[in-house]
Amino acid sequence: MSVYEVSADHIGFSINLGKQLGVSLVPHNGRLNALALHTTADRAFVAASLKMQNQASVSFRGQPSQQCVILVTQSTVVRLFSSTELCQALQWVRCYQYQSCEGPEWQGSFALAYTDRLSTELVSRLIAMHTTSWDYDGPPFTNHDAAAQDGRAGI
């Protein structure tokens, strides 16, 4: 597995994404961490956490520092209206996690908690975008127990 250093654009994108998604609470180490991503202090904390975990992963693998570049369009940061844009944002989050998971502190890191929270929000929006209700309009379910008693089930 190759591990690459993520770019400053990656880090900035994650902060803008969290702000746009309204991520204000991140569960980490058994407690909720409150974030107000419009404050300089919170943005700096998230950026430092993400950068530190990625650098730990690169160092752990003993690889030269090369940058991994994912093209992130400004519309992805600004809008997130279409499923394509949501998927592009989710691709960024997954790429970051893949590039940062090798360090010894990854499993308990704030960076993992934060990017998991971003993933959850993005997937929830994708599901909501393509789900109209919980009603089931398909064919009726087969009662396999009754069918087995009648000798009709091939189970």
Side-chain angles (χ1 to χ4, degrees), residues 15 23-24 33-49 110 114:
I15 294 165
V23 171
S24 58
N33 294 278
L35 289 176
L37 290 171
H38 58 272
T39 69
T40 302
D42 281 352
R43 288 193 308 268
F45 172 75
V46 172
S49 297
F110 179 83
Y114 180 75

Side-chain angles (χ1 to χ4, degrees), residues 33-71:
N33 294 278
L35 289 176
L37 290 171
H38 58 272
T39 69
T40 302
D42 281 352
R43 288 193 308 268
F45 172 75
V46 172
S49 297
L50 293 173
K51 188 71 172 166
M52 181 182 70
Q53 285 304 315
N54 179 244
Q55 287 175 338
S57 185
V58 171
S59 297
F60 185 77
R61 295 291 289 187
Q63 294 192 276
S65 181
Q66 300 174 15
Q67 285 209 333
C68 170
V69 177
I70 287 263
L71 296 177

